[in-house]
Amino acid sequence: MKNRLQEYRWKKDWTVGQLAKYANVNKSTITLIENGKTKNPTIEVAFRLADALGADVRDIFYYD
């Protein structure tokens, strides 16, 4: 699964730390997702990130 997490985070002009705080997700988890080291985050993490960014989870996480 691919993602546009960093792109959406940059649109908000947020740091990884800010997104982690708003989504209640560990910073290292976000970094791993953005760097492609974690390709399939849990559904809970995916929804927390999408909700924090005000986006649909399907817009951030997608199959190519």
Side-chain angles (χ1 to χ4, degrees):
M1 182 178 304
K2 295 189 179 198
N3 73 81
R4 296 182 181 100
L5 184 59
Q6 188 174 60
E7 177 185 329
Y8 274 79
R9 181 173 61 78
W10 285 352
K11 285 181 185 178
K12 293 276 192 183
D13 198 29
W14 288 353
T15 64
V16 170
Q18 287 172 304
L19 177 54
K21 178 182 172 185
Y22 300 140
N24 196 27
V25 173
N26 193 300
K27 288 191 311 186
S28 63
T29 300
I30 295 169
T31 300
L32 290 170
I33 293 168
E34 287 187 353
N35 292 331
K37 303 289 183 186
T38 299
K39 295 191 183 272
N40 294 312
T42 65
I43 193 72
E44 181 179 355
V45 167
F47 274 100
R48 284 182 184 211
L49 293 168
D51 287 347
L53 292 165
D56 188 299
V57 71
R58 291 168 294 202
D59 292 332
I60 296 174
F61 297 95
Y62 64 97
Y63 288 103
D64 194 17

